[in-house]
């Protein structure tokens, strides 16, 4: 309250002081007009005219000042009361606004927290669902891959087993065929050897018989033909034999060998083996050798020649074909 009074006095001091100063000046002026000159003339008059003196009662002025001061105090107090009420209303409005703001902020915070919690919950549920779906897909993929791998392994094992069984069967068949072939070749070789031995024995016996006959004839003729040279030479041996007949007989020998020759899948197509063949007059094979060509073909050709039935040459051909050379080519 003292602070308010001091504030009020500070506001009223300047107008009061000004009012006092103005009244003082007025009193001085009025008093100066009523001072007589040295001759006492014109006292109380101006320019010879009389004026009425105005007297100001200080108590009236003081009372008036007090009334003004009280009115100002009352006005100030009323203003202060209105200001206090206004401040109170402003404060209440501010408090209310602050409360409403705080409530709104609280509600907004609670709403944001609820929305955040809901979003987090939804995100967690979505992540859990996606994780579960991914795990399910991965499990299904792994199961499918495992099943496919097992199926592939089973198919591979079955294929390998079938291939092994096929290879074993083919190997057994090949071994059986090779054994049968070896047995046949052996039997053929043995037969050929036996036939050759028999042929050689027969040829030897025939040569011995012929030699005996020749000896007897020589003795009968007095040795005229004994040791006599063949003056006709090669020309005599070819007497009455044409190249066409020789080529025809050679072709028959080649066909006889081809009939006994085995050429699987035309393995020896385009290959050649040169054979030298010695035969008896009745066509019996006395000997066969290779004189060049493909080694594998020659091996098979020799075996086929030993099994072949060579046709008997005519008597006029024998001297030309008893030792012949053939370039054998499988058909």
């Amino acid at each position: 309250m003292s602070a308010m009074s001091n504030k009020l006095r500070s506001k009223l001091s300047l107008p009061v002081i000004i009012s006092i100063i103005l009244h003082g000046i007025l009193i001085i002026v009025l008093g100066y007009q009523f001072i007589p000159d040295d001759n006492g003339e014109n006292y109380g008059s101006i320019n010879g005219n009389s004026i009425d003196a105005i007297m100001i009662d200080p108590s009236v002025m003081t009372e008036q000042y007090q009334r003004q001061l009280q009115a100002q105090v009352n006005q100030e107090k009323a203003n202060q009361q209105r200001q206090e009420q206004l401040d109170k209303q402003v404060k209440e409005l501010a408090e209310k606004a602050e409360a409403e703001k705080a409530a709104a902020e609280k509600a907004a915070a609670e709403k944001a927290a609820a929305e955040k919690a809901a979003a987090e919950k939804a995100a967690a549920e979505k992540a859990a669902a996606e994780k579960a779906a991914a795990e399910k897909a991965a499990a299904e993929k792994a199961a499918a891959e495992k099943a496919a791998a097992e199926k592939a392994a089973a198919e591979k094992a079955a294929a390998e087993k079938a291939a092994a069984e096929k290879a074993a069967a083919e190997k057994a068949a090949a071994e059986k065929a090779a054994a049968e072939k070896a047995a046949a070749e052996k039997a053929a070789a043995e037969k050929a050897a036996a036939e050759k031995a028999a042929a050689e024995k027969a040829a030897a016996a025939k040569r011995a018989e012929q030699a005996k006959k020749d000896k007897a004839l020589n003795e009968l003729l007095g040795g005229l033909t004994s040791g006599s040279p063949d003056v006709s030479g090669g020309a005599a041996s070819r007497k009455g034999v044409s190249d066409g007949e020789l080529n025809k007989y050679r072709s028959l020998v080649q066909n006889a060998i081809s009939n006994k020759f085995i050429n699987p899948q035309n393995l020896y197509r385009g290959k050649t083996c040169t054979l030298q063949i010695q035969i008896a007059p009745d066509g019996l094979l006395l000997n066969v050798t290779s004189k060049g060509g493909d080694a594998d073909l020659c091996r098979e050709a020799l075996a086929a020649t030993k099994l072949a039935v060579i046709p008997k040459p005519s008597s006029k051909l024998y001297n030309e074909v008893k030792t012949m050379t053939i370039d054998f080519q499988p058909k």
Side-chain angles (χ1 to χ4, degrees):
M1 187 68 182
S2 60
M4 185 183 66
S5 300
N6 291 331
K7 183 178 179 182
L8 183 59
R9 290 193 188 96
S10 63
K11 290 181 179 180
L12 295 176
S13 59
L14 184 59
V16 171
I17 291 171
I18 294 173
S19 177
I20 293 171
I21 292 172
L22 291 175
H23 282 81
I25 293 172
L26 181 59
I27 293 170
I28 292 170
V29 171
L30 292 175
Y32 178 76
Q33 291 178 354
F34 287 100
I35 296 174
D37 58 5
D38 294 337
N39 297 319
E41 295 179 354
N42 298 327
Y43 179 77
S45 64
I46 297 176
N47 296 325
N49 296 321
S50 62
I51 60 172
D52 295 331
I54 298 173
M55 297 298 294
I56 299 174
D57 189 355
S59 61
V60 174
M61 292 182 63
T62 301
E63 184 179 355
Q64 183 178 2
Y65 168 73
Q66 290 294 333
R67 284 197 303 270
Q68 292 177 353
L69 181 61
Q70 187 63 38
Q72 291 179 358
V73 170
N74 293 336
Q75 185 65 32
E76 185 67 23
K77 186 176 181 181
N79 291 337
Q80 183 178 1
Q81 289 177 351
R82 284 194 300 272
Q83 186 64 37
E84 289 177 353
Q85 291 178 356
L86 183 60
D87 292 341
K88 182 178 180 181
Q89 292 177 356
V90 170
K91 183 178 180 182
E92 289 176 351
L93 291 174
E95 290 176 351
K96 183 178 180 182
E98 189 68 24
E100 291 178 351
K101 180 181 178 182
E105 291 177 351
K106 181 179 179 182
E110 291 176 350
K111 181 180 179 182
E115 291 177 350
K116 182 179 179 181
E120 291 176 350
K121 181 180 179 181
E125 291 177 351
K126 181 180 179 181
E130 290 177 350
K131 182 179 179 182
E135 291 176 351
K136 182 179 179 182
E140 291 176 351
K141 182 179 179 182
E145 290 177 350
K146 182 179 179 182
E150 291 176 351
K151 182 179 178 181
E155 291 177 351
K156 182 179 179 181
E160 290 177 351
K161 182 180 178 181
E165 292 176 350
K166 182 180 179 181
E170 291 177 350
K171 182 179 179 183
E175 291 176 351
K176 182 179 179 181
E180 291 175 351
K181 183 179 179 182
E185 290 178 349
K186 182 179 179 182
E190 291 175 351
K191 180 181 178 181
E195 291 176 351
K196 180 180 179 182
E200 288 177 350
K201 184 177 180 180
K206 190 173 182 181
R207 284 194 299 271
E209 182 67 23
Q210 185 65 38
K212 185 177 179 181
K213 290 179 179 181
D214 291 341
K215 182 178 179 182
L217 182 60
N218 287 335
E219 289 177 353
L220 180 63
L221 295 177
L224 294 176
T225 60
S226 177
S228 61
D230 186 5
V231 295
S232 62
S237 65
R238 291 294 301 274
K239 184 178 180 179
V241 178
S242 66
D243 291 337
E245 291 176 319
L246 287 174
N247 292 334
K248 183 178 180 180
Y249 183 76
R250 290 175 184 273
S251 178
L252 293 175
V253 174
Q254 290 224 24
N255 289 336
I257 297 172
S258 297
N259 290 335
K260 298 297 181 180
F261 185 83
I262 300 175
N263 186 18
Q265 299 180 354
N266 295 323
L267 180 63
Y268 301 107
R269 180 185 292 275
K271 297 181 180 180
T272 303
C273 177
T274 301
L275 300 175
Q276 187 180 66
I277 301 172
Q278 294 179 357
I279 61 174
D282 60 353
L284 179 66
L285 179 66
L286 299 177
N287 190 27
V288 59
T289 58
S290 64
K291 295 299 183 180
D294 184 79
D296 293 335
L297 173 60
C298 287
R299 183 180 64 254
E300 298 295 333
L302 288 172
T305 303
K306 293 175 182 179
L307 297 174
V309 179
I310 298 176
K312 179 182 177 179
S314 63
S315 59
K316 65 179 181 180
L317 282 176
Y318 178 68
N319 287 332
E320 298 298 323
V321 297
K322 63 181 179 181
T323 301
M324 64 181 129
T325 301
I326 295 177
D327 292 329
F328 178 73
Q329 288 184 335
K331 294 180 180 179

